[in-house]
Amino acid sequence: MSEDKRNFFSDVYEVVRLIPEGRVTSYGAIASYLGSKGSARMVGWALIASHPAVNIPAHRVVNRVGMLTGSQHFEGPNAMQERLEKEGVKVKNDQVVDFDKLFWDPAKELL
DNA sequence: CCAGTGACGGCTA
DNA sequence: TTAGCCGCCACTG
């Protein structure tokens, strides 16, 4: 594993950890903030690699429509949804309710 | 080395 | 408006 890639991973972890409770963001937003716009897949891939290794609220990261596409990669098929609801984020059919209101853009909020 | 796949996103028909 | 295709980047077979 190259140093560059590891740096990218660290950046992803840092941003994800900065997400406030009850708020969510998208892979593309993080990718864009890190300068890898268009490579949202890398963000998701980084989360997979980080999931068992680093303790980060990956459940607060969803796709651009607010769908819990990665719920299957968690401890259970609905672990991600339950965690979100536990933080006050309502989820309906693997899909975040009021996603546009709960959306947390690192490029704006974090600035 | 080549082809297929994937926690995505934007564009075109 | 909704549905489908292509592009990104790294990994696996």
Side-chain angles (χ1 to χ4, degrees):
Chain A
M1 197 183 272
S2 304
E3 296 279 334
D4 296 338
K5 279 191 294 189
R6 225 201 52 77
N7 280 335
F8 178 74
F9 276 46
S10 297
D11 289 339
V12 174
Y13 305 154
E14 186 178 353
V15 175
V16 174
R17 272 184 231 166
L18 289 171
I19 303 173
E21 292 188 8
R23 301 294 290 280
V24 291
T25 188
S26 65
Y27 306 94
I30 297 173
S32 182
Y33 177 73
L34 296 179
S36 299
K37 15 185 180 174
S39 302
R41 291 178 182 245
M42 296 300 90
V43 178
W45 183 78
L47 290 177
I48 297 178
S50 71
H51 176 237
V54 187
N55 200 352
I56 59 175
H59 56 273
R60 293 178 191 154
V61 186
V62 295
N63 66 355
R64 83 111 188 146
V65 285
M67 187 158 74
L68 283 58
T69 52
S71 56
Q72 288 295 317
H73 292 265
F74 274 77
E75 304 170 10
N78 25 349
M80 188 174 182
Q81 177 172 339
E82 289 191 18
R83 268 191 168 180
L84 284 170
E85 290 186 321
K86 202 170 187 178
E87 294 185 356
V89 180
K90 296 184 177 87
V91 180
K92 184 72 174 182
N93 194 10
D94 290 337
Q95 180 178 304
V96 177
V97 182
D98 297 328
F99 173 70
D100 52 329
K101 297 205 309 189
L102 298 173
F103 184 70
W104 182 83
D105 190 349
K108 288 185 172 185
E109 308 295 330
L110 191 57
L111 188 50

